[in-house]
Structures are given as structure tokens and as C-alpha cells.
Amino acid sequence: MPDARHARIAPLKADDPAAIGAFRLMGRLGAGGMGVVYMGRDRSGLPAAVKTVRAEYAADPGYRSRFAREVELARRVRGRCVAPLLDADTGAAAPWLAVSYVSGPTLRAYLAEHGPLAGGALVAFAAGLAEALAAIHREGIVHRDLKPDNIILAPDGPKVLDFGIAQALDESSMTHTDMVVGTPGWISPERYDGGRAGPESDMFCWGELVAYAASGRPPYGAGPVEVLRYRTVNEEPDGAADELPDVLAGPVAAALSRDPAARPDALAALAAVTGEARVPGGGGGEDAAREHTTRLATRVIDADWSVPVADDSADLPGSPLRTTGGVRPVSFAGEAVHAPADLAALFVRHPARAEDWLRRDGAARLRAWLEETGDTAYDRDHLTGILSAEQAAVAATAFAAAFRPDDGPVHRGRDASIEGLRALAAQGPQGHGRLAEIVVNEISLITAAHRCGHTACGRRCTRLENVGLRARAVIDRALIKADALGMRAGPAERNLAVALAVGAIDDSARPDAPADLRAEVRREALRGWSGLVLPWWRGLLAEAAAADPAGDEGLALLVAVRLLAPAARRTASAEWRRRADPRPVLRDRLRSGAVPAFFQVLVFWWLVLALQSVVHGLTVGESVSHAPVEARTAFGGAFALQLRIWPVAAAAALVVALAPPWRRLGAFFFGTGLLTLVHIASVFLDGFPVAAPPLVAAPLVGAADEVGAFPTALGAAAVLGGAAALGLFIWTLVALAAAPRPWTASAPLLPDARPWVRTAAAVTGLTALVWLGIWSFYLLFAGWSVAAGDARPSEFRMPEATALFTLLPFTAAAVGGLAYALWRWTGGHLLWIGATVVVLILPEALPLEEMPAFPWAGSLTEHLVSTDPEGGVWTSVLVLFPLVYVAGTWLGERLRHRRTRPVPHQAAHPQGAPYGPPPTRVGPPTYAGPPTRVEGTRVEETRAAPPTGAEGPTQVGPPQDPRGGHGHL
């Protein structure tokens, strides 16, 4: 069939039939050697190319018989990249066949206008052509006339035409004659030597076409038939070796071999191009092989086909084009209209009358009038089945867009330009409703035909077209996301989503859009800062910030963020109140034995502190000089110092009691060591930040002096107190270990983040813990030495401090990274062991004389030690050490489970689902908020909102297993 796909469709002639078979003819695509080619439509309105046979051929019984065999073979061909045969009648007076209409230019036309194919598009072209030949050859057919004019570059991939005139290899056909059938320059060499046309001949043409698509040069150049025949027989074709990528160079070179036996078959070529096996594993028969072949080509084409061709099937006429004489006018609004543009102007001026006219009989009258005029600019489908005012408004708007493109777009008397849409989006609920009508009815795609005058737009308004193409997908995804988070969207919310989507889509077309959209997510987070306490709101913000702002998913998440921001702010206050309420925690701790734990720990610590005072009174002959209350004996002075520590011990015991049961034992050991260190420091250093009340301290110290005057009594107290302390220590350990332990595992660190983000955060946290712990110890040691007069402050800067703090960040990072790598086997033990080793070994192992001197190294420590050495010590003991312990415990529990079980996948929203309410909710119940009055309307609607609690119906964090712990890999 000659290439008439993209020629102008000519009107039907007077003697042309109105229909052939089930196809109503719209016009002529052209005429070739075989007959006339018509453009027709089947009963469902789909376009087709209907090819008839000339009368002289139809009168030849041999030709009619061969034509019947060709049609029967062509019916069996099925493939992604072939134009299928739709119907045929070989017994009709004028035999005919109909093939699917393929939109797009021929390969020759495309290369002439756009130049050669390259990259993924070229690979997809080669794969598609190989898949088509595999489908044709599988049915025993040889194409024989594979050339650029029989290849259509359609929007969904290359298509092979005219395989229906091929002959079966196992039947008598025209290929048995000495006649060479084909197009010079696209015939294999063996054909000129009398060889029979076979699949190898088609594969030679496959190599020619791929090389031609890559270079734009015909394989044998141009010239008369005789010259092309001579070159084919005697010269090598232009294989475009310099233009072909590596994946195609080998298969194309093999296909252009002069030896037919050396050429790959279509399946081998497809396997080489795609890098996949030519047959599916496990067999499966011919059907499985066919499906596998189509699947290979589809994967490559869907991924890499990027040829900029448009689908022009929408521009095809919907009614027959016929040559007529004068055209009678049509009457509307009291005027006789002779030109469609004048009628379009009246539609714009009288929108209500136009809708009423079209709903009555105007649509049929307008269709008949347009057919008389022979116009093809207006899609007649708009005039079919008009039953409502909305349908009539769409038809009128489309009519104005087709015939008055230079005027501004108007829909129902309102501005339908992109500026008009954004103005409606800013008008509130009433404007949102009108905007939703425009978007749902795809008015933006219709009015995009108007010339807008924007700098970046051409004949069509690309901003309107962008909104029309993406709005439904963005709105649908945003509403699905909102529904998943617990929001039942009513009409007001859906219309608001439309308004938000229009603004986001239009903003995304700007060059700086990605940065602006990410900044908008940050602004929403700042405006809704109170909602950050809600896990579902934090998860939504994180998902929106990480999504591609130029894609539909990123825009949908931004719309969901804006849509749910008021609900987040509204529900956050209740969550803040819930978290600030101490009663649930207190009730839980009381049920888990907090009160007995508090008294056991407190009594033990007070007893240990008293024993330390007794030991001090027995071993030291005189009272300490810096006792807060004057004492006569050493025991009295030490006891006066202990009175300041007792409130700290009480506070620490309260913290241990209020800790979760599984943390109390570790906190008890840490607190015991810390209080011992505080007692020792209080004996040698002054400046303890807590003072005992004088009214209580004076009598107690006086009583201690009375006891301290009798060493025998102190010795007996030491023995009895030691035994009591040992027994109480064992009892406390047993009680804490046996306390109820309802294990509630913490969520892993950043469970929703990417692996490298979790790793970086974990190593950074561990590094900070190591560094802070070592620095706290060094600050304690330096302050103690200076306060005791054993060293000057400057000695702790140069060179020891300089050397230590020069390597400490790197050493801490090494310890933190190693601890994280071995965490699954060693837990947090390696962290503390490594920190201890650094404290003990690093200062002694450094070559201090050779270390570089950084001015900032150790300057903070020197400042703290020189200005207030005692304050530095107490800061380390009472603030930094507890901070390191708490932070290390928190991080350690979250690193215990590094990976979580995957969240069960929920079915996605059906593709192509219309804009409307989200699908029926499956899972947790809906959480509805109070009724909310929509401003500017008289209707009160119940606005659904995300849950008022911290946990939304959709779990943002990882799931927990039945035992309470998180699964890990």
C-alpha cells in the first residue's frame, strides 16, 4: 500500500461509496497501484485504512486467489509493532481489506524533517522492527518490500505496514517467478542473483533500515534503478558503523552480510538488542514464545521510545468529506451565519442561548451544516449525545477554540485562560467549584488551542495544556493520599484540591520550579510547626520533600500537604496536650513498680553516701576546710558535704523510678557510679551547685559530730552499714531485674529514610557520643587538676590538648563507624570500650612534639578550666556524663533493629480512574472532625480530618511484630 498516512485527506468523489463493509468512509487517503485507499471509521468510531483492489485485478481469478491467500495469512499475524488486519472481503465485487490506522510519519519523512535517530530511540526502533519481523516470519510470511515508506513512527513505537501482500513460503506464489519484487535500494543482493525471497532477505532490509535510521543516509545512496542494482550486487552497503551504538553495531553488521546463512533471524536480532534470551525459560510453546517476544520489545520501547511525534488521530474527520456547491447558512440568535467563525463569536456572546440551542436540535443542525461546509477543524464528537447544559457548554467552548483561536478562551462567559483559572483558584469555595467544573470537563485541553501570547507558548497555550494533561492524575493521587491519612474528602475539599493542583501544576512549569516547590514544602512545615508532633504529618512532609517536584507524584504530595495543613494544625493542640499530660506515664510507671524502686534505690544510695562519710571520718583526722556547715570532726565535715548530695541522689532515684522498667537496672548502675564520683569530688573540690537547707543541715551535722567523737561507734557503724548496704544492693538488683517488663521496642532510627541517610545519621550520632564522652572526661580531669593546684590551665592546651583535640574528631568517627558496623554482634559495648581505650591510650600514644598546633584546639577547655575549674568539673559530672548516658541509651535502642520488615503493599488506585471520591477505605476507621462551615456559602458540610491523636490510621513508622519488637534482616 502506498504511503498515504499523512497526506491531506481529500473529499470523497461523487462515485465513491459511502461505506465499505462495516467501515463508513470519511475521505480519500490516496491511490496506488493496487487501488484506492480510503480513510474510514468502524462502528465504534475507530479510524482505519480501507484498501480496495482495482477492477482489472479483481477480474483476474489468479490474482483474486492469491489475494485471498494473502489475507488469510495476514489475519494470523499479531505483534506490538505491526499494523493488524481488521477485516477483509476477498469475495466482494471489489475485493478490499482494512488495516488499523497508524498515526505518525513514515521513517523517510521523519528523518527528512528531524534528522537521524539516536540513543534509546534508535535501540527501541531496532527492537520494534525485529519484533514485527519475528511476528511476520512466525506465520510463514516474507515481507519482501521492507523500506522506509512502509515503516511508521507512531507515538507508541515503530509500526510495519503492508506485510499483507507477502506470500507463504510453503505455497506457490509470485516469489517463485524470476521477477524481483521490491524497491531498488532496499532489496537483498541474493534476490538479484535469482535467489528466493525468505526471512534472510527481510533481515538484510532490517540491517539497512537500522543503519539508515542512525545516519539518515540510504544504504546504497540515490540514483537510477540500474545504478542501485549495480551497487547492491557489487558493493557493500553503508552500515553507519560510526553512528551505531555498541549494542546495535554487531547485529546490524551481521544482518548486512552478503551470505544469507550468516545473518541472524529476527528472534536472534531482538535478543541481541535487548540482551535477553530469545525464548522464555521452561518452554511454553508457540504462544509463550510470541508473548515473550512481544514483552521484550515492549520493555525497550516503553522505556526508551522518545521520538517526538504526535497522535493526529484526533484531527481526522468524524464525518464524510464531500465536494459540494454552495453552503446554506445556519440560524442562531436571530442571525443567519455563513461562516463557522461568526457562529463561534455568537456562542461566546450568548453562552446560555448556545447551550439551550445545542441541547434542543442545534447539535444535529450544526453537524449537518459543518458536513456541508467540508470543515475538518472541529471534532464532531462534541455534538454527540448532548443531554445536559454542561455537555452543551463543552461543545460550545470547543467550537470557539476551533474557529476563533486568536480570541481569548472563554467557558460559559468566564475567562478560561490560565490567568482566569488561577483567579478562580483564589476566589474561595465558589470559585473552586467553577474551577472544578472546568478541570473535570477537560476544558483546559480544549482552550489550549487559543493563542495565549505567552512568551514560552507557541500556537497552543502550553501552560493550559500542561494543566489539562496532568490535573486529573495529580488531583486523584492527592485525594488518595489524603484518604489514606484519614481524610474523607467532601465536595469542598475536592474542589479545594482542584484549586491547589492547578496552581502547583502551573508553577511547576517555571525553570526554577523544583527549588520553589521544595521551598513551599518547607514553608508549609514552618506554618504548621505545631503539627510536627503528629507522626502522619511528619511522614507526609518528609515524603513530599523527598519526591521529585517535577513529577505528578511530587505535585500530588504538595497538594496533599496544603490540603491537610489546616487539619494538622487543628489536631496538633490535642496531641500536644496528650503528650504533656504526665498522668498516663505516671500510671504506667506506678503499675510497673516505680514506687518500690524509688525507695529501694534512694535508701541504698543514701546508705552508701553515709558509709562514705563514716570511712572518711575513720581515715582522716580533721574536718574538711570547705564544709558548708562548721563541723568539729572529720565525720561531721564529710557528712555536711553529703547533705548537699542527698537531694541529687533523690532526684536521680526519681529518674530511675520513672524510667521504663527495662532501663532501670542500667540507670541504677550508672547512678551509683556517678554519685560515688560526686562524693569523691565534693571532698576535694568546692563550688558544689546544690546547697542543703541550713535549718536541716545544722542539727544533723551537730549530731554527726557527736557520733564522730567516738571512733568505736564509727567502726561499728561501718561494719553494720556495710553489711546492710550489701544486702540492700542485692535486694535492689533482684527487685529491679524481676520488675514487670512490658517490652515496648523503640522505632528504629529513621525507619522511612534511605539506607545511606540512616547510616550517616547513626555514625554521626555515635561519633558525637564518643567525642562528647571523651571531652567530658578530659574537662573533668583538667578542672580537677587545676582546682587542686596540681597544674596550670595553660598546660591543658599546649601541647597535650592541641594534640588530643586535633585527632579526637577522627578517632571518635573511627570508633563510631566501627561500632555501627559491628552493632549487630557487639551492641553498644564496643562503643564504650572504644571510648575508654581512647581516653586511656590516645594522650599517651601521641607524638606530642611532632603534632601540628591548631590555635582552636583545646581553647574551650582552657577557657572553662581557667575561669571556673570547679564549675567545669561539676558540669562534666552533673550534666555532660548524664547527657552522654541518656543519649547513648536512646540511640542504642534505635540501632538495635537496623532494618524493619517491609510495610505490606497496598493496591494502587486504578489507572485511569475518573476524578471523584477516593476508593472505599480498607483498614482502620475514619476519624471525622467537627462540622465546619464553608465561608461564602450557605451549606454546612462535615469536614473530615485526620485523627486527633498522634497516631494516624496509616502507620508511618515500621510495623511491630507480635512480640513487641521490630523485625530485622
mmCIF file of all heavy atoms in Angstrom, residues 626-667:
data_model
loop_
_atom_site.group_PDB
_atom_site.id
_atom_site.type_symbol
_atom_site.label_atom_id
_atom_site.label_comp_id
_atom_site.label_asym_id
_atom_site.label_seq_id
_atom_site.Cartn_x
_atom_site.Cartn_y
_atom_site.Cartn_z
ATOM 1 N N HIS A 626 36.235 23.071 103.488
ATOM 2 C CA HIS A 626 35.178 23.771 102.739
ATOM 3 C C HIS A 626 33.802 23.190 103.037
ATOM 4 O O HIS A 626 32.912 23.207 102.191
ATOM 5 C CB HIS A 626 35.442 23.688 101.232
ATOM 6 C CG HIS A 626 35.558 22.272 100.721
ATOM 7 N ND1 HIS A 626 36.717 21.532 100.866
ATOM 8 C CD2 HIS A 626 34.655 21.469 100.093
ATOM 9 C CE1 HIS A 626 36.522 20.334 100.320
ATOM 10 N NE2 HIS A 626 35.269 20.268 99.853
ATOM 11 N N ALA A 627 33.622 22.681 104.273
ATOM 12 C CA ALA A 627 32.307 22.151 104.629
ATOM 13 C C ALA A 627 31.295 23.284 104.681
ATOM 14 O O ALA A 627 31.587 24.375 105.178
ATOM 15 C CB ALA A 627 32.371 21.445 105.975
ATOM 16 N N PRO A 628 30.080 23.075 104.158
ATOM 17 C CA PRO A 628 29.080 24.159 104.136
ATOM 18 C C PRO A 628 28.598 24.540 105.536
ATOM 19 O O PRO A 628 28.114 25.643 105.746
ATOM 20 C CB PRO A 628 27.938 23.562 103.303
ATOM 21 C CG PRO A 628 28.088 22.075 103.426
ATOM 22 C CD PRO A 628 29.561 21.835 103.531
ATOM 23 N N VAL A 629 28.704 23.608 106.487
ATOM 24 C CA VAL A 629 28.327 23.881 107.875
ATOM 25 C C VAL A 629 29.535 23.553 108.754
ATOM 26 O O VAL A 629 30.180 22.522 108.569
ATOM 27 C CB VAL A 629 27.104 23.040 108.294
ATOM 28 C CG1 VAL A 629 26.757 23.311 109.750
ATOM 29 C CG2 VAL A 629 25.901 23.349 107.391
ATOM 30 N N GLU A 630 29.827 24.429 109.689
ATOM 31 C CA GLU A 630 31.009 24.217 110.523
ATOM 32 C C GLU A 630 30.852 22.925 111.316
ATOM 33 O O GLU A 630 29.827 22.669 111.931
ATOM 34 C CB GLU A 630 31.193 25.404 111.468
ATOM 35 C CG GLU A 630 32.448 25.287 112.323
ATOM 36 C CD GLU A 630 32.647 26.497 113.213
ATOM 37 O OE1 GLU A 630 31.835 27.445 113.092
ATOM 38 O OE2 GLU A 630 33.587 26.477 114.020
ATOM 39 N N ALA A 631 31.927 22.074 111.274
ATOM 40 C CA ALA A 631 31.913 20.790 111.970
ATOM 41 C C ALA A 631 33.212 20.631 112.747
ATOM 42 O O ALA A 631 34.269 21.111 112.337
ATOM 43 C CB ALA A 631 31.741 19.639 110.976
ATOM 44 N N ARG A 632 33.115 19.884 113.889
ATOM 45 C CA ARG A 632 34.279 19.706 114.725
ATOM 46 C C ARG A 632 35.051 18.457 114.353
ATOM 47 O O ARG A 632 36.234 18.364 114.615
ATOM 48 C CB ARG A 632 33.851 19.616 116.203
ATOM 49 C CG ARG A 632 33.101 20.839 116.705
ATOM 50 C CD ARG A 632 32.891 20.772 118.222
ATOM 51 N NE ARG A 632 32.253 19.515 118.620
ATOM 52 C CZ ARG A 632 30.949 19.315 118.641
ATOM 53 N NH1 ARG A 632 30.120 20.278 118.266
ATOM 54 N NH2 ARG A 632 30.463 18.152 119.056
ATOM 55 N N THR A 633 34.412 17.484 113.789
ATOM 56 C CA THR A 633 35.069 16.216 113.495
ATOM 57 C C THR A 633 35.114 15.989 111.986
ATOM 58 O O THR A 633 34.395 16.623 111.207
ATOM 59 C CB THR A 633 34.310 15.052 114.150
ATOM 60 O OG1 THR A 633 33.002 14.962 113.574
ATOM 61 C CG2 THR A 633 34.207 15.248 115.659
ATOM 62 N N ALA A 634 36.001 15.053 111.604
ATOM 63 C CA ALA A 634 36.099 14.709 110.180
ATOM 64 C C ALA A 634 34.800 14.095 109.676
ATOM 65 O O ALA A 634 34.351 14.366 108.550
ATOM 66 C CB ALA A 634 37.266 13.745 109.946
ATOM 67 N N PHE A 635 34.154 13.234 110.503
ATOM 68 C CA PHE A 635 32.893 12.641 110.083
ATOM 69 C C PHE A 635 31.816 13.699 109.930
ATOM 70 O O PHE A 635 31.008 13.663 108.990
ATOM 71 C CB PHE A 635 32.460 11.587 111.107
ATOM 72 C CG PHE A 635 31.090 11.031 110.834
ATOM 73 C CD1 PHE A 635 30.839 10.243 109.709
ATOM 74 C CD2 PHE A 635 30.034 11.304 111.705
ATOM 75 C CE1 PHE A 635 29.573 9.741 109.463
ATOM 76 C CE2 PHE A 635 28.764 10.796 111.455
ATOM 77 C CZ PHE A 635 28.530 10.009 110.321
ATOM 78 N N GLY A 636 31.795 14.684 110.834
ATOM 79 C CA GLY A 636 30.816 15.757 110.732
ATOM 80 C C GLY A 636 31.005 16.573 109.463
ATOM 81 O O GLY A 636 30.044 16.946 108.783
ATOM 82 N N GLY A 637 32.296 16.882 109.129
ATOM 83 C CA GLY A 637 32.543 17.643 107.902
ATOM 84 C C GLY A 637 32.151 16.873 106.663
ATOM 85 O O GLY A 637 31.553 17.426 105.728
ATOM 86 N N ALA A 638 32.520 15.573 106.616
ATOM 87 C CA ALA A 638 32.140 14.760 105.453
ATOM 88 C C ALA A 638 30.630 14.617 105.359
ATOM 89 O O ALA A 638 30.049 14.645 104.268
ATOM 90 C CB ALA A 638 32.801 13.391 105.539
ATOM 91 N N PHE A 639 29.963 14.471 106.516
ATOM 92 C CA PHE A 639 28.508 14.350 106.496
ATOM 93 C C PHE A 639 27.858 15.633 106.021
ATOM 94 O O PHE A 639 26.826 15.610 105.336
ATOM 95 C CB PHE A 639 28.026 13.983 107.898
ATOM 96 C CG PHE A 639 26.568 13.631 107.944
ATOM 97 C CD1 PHE A 639 26.129 12.388 107.506
ATOM 98 C CD2 PHE A 639 25.631 14.544 108.411
ATOM 99 C CE1 PHE A 639 24.786 12.065 107.545
ATOM 100 C CE2 PHE A 639 24.295 14.222 108.445
ATOM 101 C CZ PHE A 639 23.859 12.986 108.010
ATOM 102 N N ALA A 640 28.464 16.799 106.382
ATOM 103 C CA ALA A 640 27.939 18.076 105.891
ATOM 104 C C ALA A 640 28.017 18.150 104.374
ATOM 105 O O ALA A 640 27.118 18.689 103.712
ATOM 106 C CB ALA A 640 28.704 19.224 106.528
ATOM 107 N N LEU A 641 29.123 17.611 103.823
ATOM 108 C CA LEU A 641 29.222 17.576 102.356
ATOM 109 C C LEU A 641 28.184 16.631 101.753
ATOM 110 O O LEU A 641 27.608 16.902 100.689
ATOM 111 C CB LEU A 641 30.632 17.140 101.951
ATOM 112 C CG LEU A 641 31.773 18.098 102.319
ATOM 113 C CD1 LEU A 641 33.123 17.480 101.920
ATOM 114 C CD2 LEU A 641 31.592 19.438 101.618
ATOM 115 N N GLN A 642 27.934 15.496 102.435
ATOM 116 C CA GLN A 642 26.970 14.531 101.908
ATOM 117 C C GLN A 642 25.557 15.081 101.881
ATOM 118 O O GLN A 642 24.754 14.696 101.017
ATOM 119 C CB GLN A 642 27.014 13.255 102.755
ATOM 120 C CG GLN A 642 28.322 12.519 102.722
ATOM 121 C CD GLN A 642 28.665 12.077 101.311
ATOM 122 O OE1 GLN A 642 27.806 11.681 100.553
ATOM 123 N NE2 GLN A 642 29.926 12.188 100.957
ATOM 124 N N LEU A 643 25.247 15.979 102.813
ATOM 125 C CA LEU A 643 23.890 16.530 102.842
ATOM 126 C C LEU A 643 23.567 17.256 101.536
ATOM 127 O O LEU A 643 22.409 17.302 101.117
ATOM 128 C CB LEU A 643 23.739 17.477 104.038
ATOM 129 C CG LEU A 643 23.686 16.804 105.413
ATOM 130 C CD1 LEU A 643 23.594 17.859 106.504
ATOM 131 C CD2 LEU A 643 22.496 15.854 105.496
ATOM 132 N N ARG A 644 24.592 17.843 100.878
ATOM 133 C CA ARG A 644 24.332 18.521 99.601
ATOM 134 C C ARG A 644 24.085 17.519 98.471
ATOM 135 O O ARG A 644 23.431 17.839 97.481
ATOM 136 C CB ARG A 644 25.522 19.414 99.254
ATOM 137 C CG ARG A 644 25.794 20.512 100.260
ATOM 138 C CD ARG A 644 26.905 21.409 99.809
ATOM 139 N NE ARG A 644 28.136 20.683 99.560
ATOM 140 C CZ ARG A 644 29.273 21.243 99.109
ATOM 141 N NH1 ARG A 644 29.295 22.536 98.866
ATOM 142 N NH2 ARG A 644 30.345 20.519 98.933
ATOM 143 N N ILE A 645 24.626 16.308 98.638
ATOM 144 C CA ILE A 645 24.472 15.304 97.575
ATOM 145 C C ILE A 645 23.159 14.553 97.711
ATOM 146 O O ILE A 645 22.640 14.027 96.736
ATOM 147 C CB ILE A 645 25.670 14.331 97.606
ATOM 148 C CG1 ILE A 645 26.983 15.112 97.523
ATOM 149 C CG2 ILE A 645 25.589 13.321 96.482
ATOM 150 C CD1 ILE A 645 28.209 14.240 97.627
ATOM 151 N N TRP A 646 22.591 14.519 98.920
ATOM 152 C CA TRP A 646 21.365 13.762 99.133
ATOM 153 C C TRP A 646 20.216 14.245 98.229
ATOM 154 O O TRP A 646 19.478 13.413 97.696
ATOM 155 C CB TRP A 646 20.960 13.817 100.608
ATOM 156 C CG TRP A 646 21.784 12.881 101.463
ATOM 157 C CD1 TRP A 646 23.019 12.401 101.190
ATOM 158 C CD2 TRP A 646 21.404 12.331 102.709
ATOM 159 N NE1 TRP A 646 23.468 11.587 102.206
ATOM 160 C CE2 TRP A 646 22.481 11.513 103.169
ATOM 161 C CE3 TRP A 646 20.280 12.441 103.533
ATOM 162 C CZ2 TRP A 646 22.444 10.831 104.376
ATOM 163 C CZ3 TRP A 646 20.242 11.752 104.735
ATOM 164 C CH2 TRP A 646 21.317 10.942 105.148
ATOM 165 N N PRO A 647 19.996 15.552 98.037
ATOM 166 C CA PRO A 647 18.937 15.960 97.090
ATOM 167 C C PRO A 647 19.218 15.487 95.656
ATOM 168 O O PRO A 647 18.290 15.102 94.933
ATOM 169 C CB PRO A 647 18.948 17.486 97.185
ATOM 170 C CG PRO A 647 19.522 17.771 98.512
ATOM 171 C CD PRO A 647 20.546 16.709 98.758
ATOM 172 N N VAL A 648 20.496 15.491 95.262
ATOM 173 C CA VAL A 648 20.838 14.986 93.930
ATOM 174 C C VAL A 648 20.532 13.503 93.835
ATOM 175 O O VAL A 648 20.002 13.012 92.828
ATOM 176 C CB VAL A 648 22.324 15.268 93.629
ATOM 177 C CG1 VAL A 648 22.714 14.675 92.281
ATOM 178 C CG2 VAL A 648 22.596 16.761 93.647
ATOM 179 N N ALA A 649 20.841 12.770 94.920
ATOM 180 C CA ALA A 649 20.540 11.340 94.933
ATOM 181 C C ALA A 649 19.030 11.100 94.861
ATOM 182 O O ALA A 649 18.565 10.177 94.180
ATOM 183 C CB ALA A 649 21.126 10.699 96.185
ATOM 184 N N ALA A 650 18.262 11.930 95.550
ATOM 185 C CA ALA A 650 16.802 11.775 95.499
ATOM 186 C C ALA A 650 16.277 12.031 94.093
ATOM 187 O O ALA A 650 15.404 11.309 93.589
ATOM 188 C CB ALA A 650 16.149 12.713 96.504
ATOM 189 N N ALA A 651 16.804 13.084 93.453
ATOM 190 C CA ALA A 651 16.369 13.370 92.077
ATOM 191 C C ALA A 651 16.768 12.243 91.133
ATOM 192 O O ALA A 651 15.993 11.837 90.258
ATOM 193 C CB ALA A 651 16.973 14.696 91.615
ATOM 194 N N ALA A 652 17.974 11.714 91.314
ATOM 195 C CA ALA A 652 18.413 10.613 90.459
ATOM 196 C C ALA A 652 17.577 9.368 90.702
ATOM 197 O O ALA A 652 17.239 8.632 89.754
ATOM 198 C CB ALA A 652 19.890 10.318 90.700
ATOM 199 N N ALA A 653 17.222 9.109 91.954
ATOM 200 C CA ALA A 653 16.377 7.948 92.243
ATOM 201 C C ALA A 653 15.002 8.104 91.615
ATOM 202 O O ALA A 653 14.403 7.128 91.123
ATOM 203 C CB ALA A 653 16.254 7.761 93.753
ATOM 204 N N LEU A 654 14.481 9.324 91.609
ATOM 205 C CA LEU A 654 13.196 9.569 90.948
ATOM 206 C C LEU A 654 13.292 9.313 89.449
ATOM 207 O O LEU A 654 12.371 8.733 88.849
ATOM 208 C CB LEU A 654 12.750 11.005 91.230
ATOM 209 C CG LEU A 654 11.392 11.408 90.639
ATOM 210 C CD1 LEU A 654 10.271 10.551 91.227
ATOM 211 C CD2 LEU A 654 11.122 12.888 90.892
ATOM 212 N N VAL A 655 14.400 9.730 88.851
ATOM 213 C CA VAL A 655 14.591 9.473 87.421
ATOM 214 C C VAL A 655 14.655 7.976 87.143
ATOM 215 O O VAL A 655 14.061 7.481 86.171
ATOM 216 C CB VAL A 655 15.870 10.181 86.918
ATOM 217 C CG1 VAL A 655 16.187 9.765 85.485
ATOM 218 C CG2 VAL A 655 15.710 11.688 87.005
ATOM 219 N N VAL A 656 15.363 7.239 87.988
ATOM 220 C CA VAL A 656 15.443 5.783 87.800
ATOM 221 C C VAL A 656 14.060 5.163 87.927
ATOM 222 O O VAL A 656 13.672 4.285 87.142
ATOM 223 C CB VAL A 656 16.414 5.173 88.819
ATOM 224 C CG1 VAL A 656 16.356 3.644 88.761
ATOM 225 C CG2 VAL A 656 17.829 5.646 88.554
ATOM 226 N N ALA A 657 13.278 5.599 88.907
ATOM 227 C CA ALA A 657 11.954 5.019 89.113
ATOM 228 C C ALA A 657 11.010 5.320 87.953
ATOM 229 O O ALA A 657 10.170 4.486 87.595
ATOM 230 C CB ALA A 657 11.373 5.542 90.419
ATOM 231 N N LEU A 658 11.126 6.511 87.379
ATOM 232 C CA LEU A 658 10.231 6.898 86.278
ATOM 233 C C LEU A 658 10.702 6.375 84.934
ATOM 234 O O LEU A 658 9.989 6.516 83.941
ATOM 235 C CB LEU A 658 10.098 8.416 86.223
ATOM 236 C CG LEU A 658 9.387 9.064 87.408
ATOM 237 C CD1 LEU A 658 9.339 10.577 87.231
ATOM 238 C CD2 LEU A 658 7.979 8.501 87.575
ATOM 239 N N ALA A 659 11.885 5.792 84.898
ATOM 240 C CA ALA A 659 12.372 5.226 83.640
ATOM 241 C C ALA A 659 11.581 3.966 83.314
ATOM 242 O O ALA A 659 11.007 3.322 84.193
ATOM 243 C CB ALA A 659 13.857 4.912 83.745
ATOM 244 N N PRO A 660 11.508 3.580 82.040
ATOM 245 C CA PRO A 660 10.863 2.304 81.692
ATOM 246 C C PRO A 660 11.527 1.160 82.447
ATOM 247 O O PRO A 660 12.727 1.206 82.753
ATOM 248 C CB PRO A 660 11.096 2.200 80.174
ATOM 249 C CG PRO A 660 11.275 3.596 79.723
ATOM 250 C CD PRO A 660 11.970 4.305 80.845
ATOM 251 N N PRO A 661 10.788 0.122 82.766
ATOM 252 C CA PRO A 661 11.340 -0.964 83.610
ATOM 253 C C PRO A 661 12.605 -1.575 83.054
ATOM 254 O O PRO A 661 13.497 -1.944 83.822
ATOM 255 C CB PRO A 661 10.185 -1.981 83.652
ATOM 256 C CG PRO A 661 8.959 -1.180 83.392
ATOM 257 C CD PRO A 661 9.365 -0.079 82.463
ATOM 258 N N TRP A 662 12.698 -1.711 81.738
ATOM 259 C CA TRP A 662 13.876 -2.361 81.187
ATOM 260 C C TRP A 662 15.109 -1.471 81.195
ATOM 261 O O TRP A 662 16.192 -1.921 80.864
ATOM 262 C CB TRP A 662 13.585 -2.837 79.765
ATOM 263 C CG TRP A 662 13.205 -1.731 78.818
ATOM 264 C CD1 TRP A 662 14.031 -0.992 78.046
ATOM 265 C CD2 TRP A 662 11.893 -1.253 78.558
ATOM 266 N NE1 TRP A 662 13.326 -0.080 77.302
ATOM 267 C CE2 TRP A 662 11.995 -0.226 77.597
ATOM 268 C CE3 TRP A 662 10.616 -1.597 79.029
ATOM 269 C CZ2 TRP A 662 10.888 0.463 77.115
ATOM 270 C CZ3 TRP A 662 9.518 -0.906 78.549
ATOM 271 C CH2 TRP A 662 9.661 0.101 77.612
ATOM 272 N N ARG A 663 14.951 -0.201 81.562
ATOM 273 C CA ARG A 663 16.102 0.703 81.635
ATOM 274 C C ARG A 663 16.549 0.967 83.076
ATOM 275 O O ARG A 663 17.566 1.616 83.294
ATOM 276 C CB ARG A 663 15.758 2.038 80.971
ATOM 277 C CG ARG A 663 15.512 1.946 79.477
ATOM 278 C CD ARG A 663 15.201 3.310 78.913
ATOM 279 N NE ARG A 663 14.873 3.252 77.484
ATOM 280 C CZ ARG A 663 14.422 4.289 76.782
ATOM 281 N NH1 ARG A 663 14.215 5.458 77.390
ATOM 282 N NH2 ARG A 663 14.146 4.178 75.505
ATOM 283 N N ARG A 664 15.784 0.524 84.067
ATOM 284 C CA ARG A 664 16.073 0.906 85.444
ATOM 285 C C ARG A 664 17.366 0.296 85.945
ATOM 286 O O ARG A 664 18.132 0.952 86.667
ATOM 287 C CB ARG A 664 14.911 0.477 86.347
ATOM 288 C CG ARG A 664 13.657 1.301 86.144
ATOM 289 C CD ARG A 664 12.501 0.765 86.961
ATOM 290 N NE ARG A 664 11.269 1.485 86.667
ATOM 291 C CZ ARG A 664 10.057 1.058 86.988
ATOM 292 N NH1 ARG A 664 9.928 -0.099 87.647
ATOM 293 N NH2 ARG A 664 8.989 1.761 86.688
ATOM 294 N N LEU A 665 17.634 -0.943 85.595
ATOM 295 C CA LEU A 665 18.836 -1.593 86.113
ATOM 296 C C LEU A 665 20.087 -0.893 85.618
ATOM 297 O O LEU A 665 21.014 -0.607 86.402
ATOM 298 C CB LEU A 665 18.841 -3.067 85.698
ATOM 299 C CG LEU A 665 19.884 -3.951 86.389
ATOM 300 C CD1 LEU A 665 19.681 -3.951 87.890
ATOM 301 C CD2 LEU A 665 19.822 -5.374 85.833
ATOM 302 N N GLY A 666 20.139 -0.583 84.319
ATOM 303 C CA GLY A 666 21.301 0.139 83.808
ATOM 304 C C GLY A 666 21.413 1.520 84.395
ATOM 305 O O GLY A 666 22.520 1.983 84.720
ATOM 306 N N ALA A 667 20.279 2.209 84.565
ATOM 307 C CA ALA A 667 20.317 3.544 85.176
ATOM 308 C C ALA A 667 20.767 3.465 86.630
ATOM 309 O O ALA A 667 21.458 4.377 87.127
ATOM 310 C CB ALA A 667 18.932 4.184 85.073
#
